[in-house]
Amino acid sequence: MARGNQSGDELVRERPAWIIPLLVLAGVLIFSGAFLYYYFGPTPGEILGMDPRASAAEENIEVIVGNTRFMVPEHYTRYPNQRTGGRQPMLDLHALLPDLAPWSPERQAEFDDNSVRANVVYFSLKEAATPLNSARRLKTIYSKYLAEGEPQAGPDGLQLFAFNDESGYAGQDLFVGKDAEDRMTLIICDRRSALVESPNCMRSLLIGPNLELGYRYKRSHLDDWREIDKAILSLVQGFETLEPMDDLQGPILD
């Protein structure tokens, strides 16, 4: 019996008194670290450069989208993973109306603004797998979903067509017109509603055989659509390099 008690006493004495507090402390530290990382740490998208993060750098980035080479100042770009340059399926950019000023730290609040009259414009260059010009998109896609009735007069030469409320474009309007180069212009705008307090307008057009330019801005700027369109096209064309490529894109096609 004495030997058995002695063995039990020895087993108890082999456990350090500090081990349980240490385990508790380790648990608290792990929980605290997980809590801080969850609320304040970088997301997987931020780590991979897939979340938007503006840059104040002015150096040019060489990017090839849809077989067209561009030299784009970094402070126009939105995503870090697209700043690596080279071939990209898409390049996302942003600027401020009316002069398309690039991002800078002192204008952060203007780029964050999502109010009805916000001046930020988002635009992108994208490789188009199945390119459709505006005339074909109107005929093969949008015309099937338009509400009956004659179009109304829109701002500065545009015609306003309402989409059917039972279509996938419910709550949106289609504006059709001609731009400065006499190309068909299609602009889709959200209608303001209880669910959409700050509506946008969007246009996309082909600027090469498989290269699409898309941009969006607040509907409150629709009256200035011609000036906005001309400014964005001029800016993007200014990014194009003059270096030859075997399959370099030609002029604007839309």
Side-chain angles (χ1 to χ4, degrees):
M1 295 292 293
R3 183 176 298 174
N5 290 338
Q6 182 178 2
S7 300
D9 293 341
E10 291 176 354
L11 183 60
V12 171
R13 284 197 297 272
E14 288 175 359
R15 296 178 179 175
W18 46 263
I19 193 168
I20 293 179
L22 180 62
L23 291 174
V24 172
L25 177 61
V28 170
L29 291 175
I30 292 172
F31 176 80
S32 300
F35 177 86
L36 291 173
Y37 182 85
Y38 180 81
Y39 284 100
F40 302 105
T43 65
E46 289 173 331
I47 295 173
L48 297 173
M50 299 171 63
D51 285 349
R53 188 165 72 245
S55 171
E58 299 180 13
E59 291 79 10
N60 285 335
I61 301 170
E62 183 179 13
V63 182
I64 299 171
V65 185
N67 294 328
T68 299
R69 182 184 284 115
F70 298 93
M71 297 295 289
V72 182
E74 187 172 321
H75 53 182
Y76 279 104
T77 62
R78 297 185 62 208
Y79 292 92
N81 67 328
Q82 296 176 346
R83 295 180 189 132
T84 57
R87 288 191 176 271
Q88 298 281 349
M90 177 182 288
L91 182 65
D92 295 278
L93 309 136
H94 56 176
L96 289 178
L97 298 172
D99 56 350
L100 298 185
W103 186 87
S104 61
E106 59 271 17
R107 307 192 77 168
Q108 177 67 60
E110 294 177 82
F111 278 86
D112 289 339
D113 187 13
N114 191 41
S115 66
V116 172
R117 296 205 59 82
N119 288 324
V120 63
V121 54
Y122 298 100
F123 55 112
S124 63
L125 294 162
K126 182 174 67 173
E127 185 174 357
T130 55
L132 286 176
N133 64 22
S134 296
R136 290 181 63 190
R137 276 187 286 123
L138 176 61
K139 181 178 179 179
T140 62
I141 301 175
Y142 301 144
S143 62
K144 298 184 293 186
Y145 304 108
L146 296 177
E148 296 181 359
E150 294 297 318
Q152 302 176 26
D156 198 5
L158 293 175
Q159 287 186 306
L160 166 60
F161 296 82
F163 280 109
N164 192 315
D165 287 335
E166 296 180 356
S167 72
Y169 297 96
Q172 295 179 307
D173 294 319
L174 174 66
F175 291 88
V176 181
K178 295 283 188 178
D179 65 13
E181 302 298 326
D182 203 37
R183 297 182 298 263
M184 176 175 284
T185 300
L186 303 179
I187 303 175
I188 295 180
C189 294
D190 302 321
R191 297 179 204 141
R192 192 169 185 179
S193 66
L195 297 178
V196 183
E197 297 182 354
S198 184
N200 294 303
C201 286
M202 296 147 280
R203 185 192 181 194
S204 62
L205 68 156
L206 291 177
I207 58 174
N210 63 335
L211 179 63
E212 183 177 271
L213 167 66
Y215 60 85
R216 63 182 170 92
Y217 51 85
K218 293 303 177 184
R219 184 165 178 162
S220 59
H221 296 294
L222 185 60
D223 287 348
D224 302 318
W225 73 270
R226 287 188 186 275
E227 289 76 12
I228 295 172
D229 188 73
K230 182 179 178 180
I232 292 176
L233 286 170
S234 177
L235 180 66
V236 169
Q237 289 174 326
F239 293 157
E240 290 189 45
T241 71
L242 299 178
E243 299 177 24
M245 290 181 63
D246 292 340
D247 48 358
L248 189 66
Q249 302 296 346
I252 292 175
L253 300 179
D254 218 309

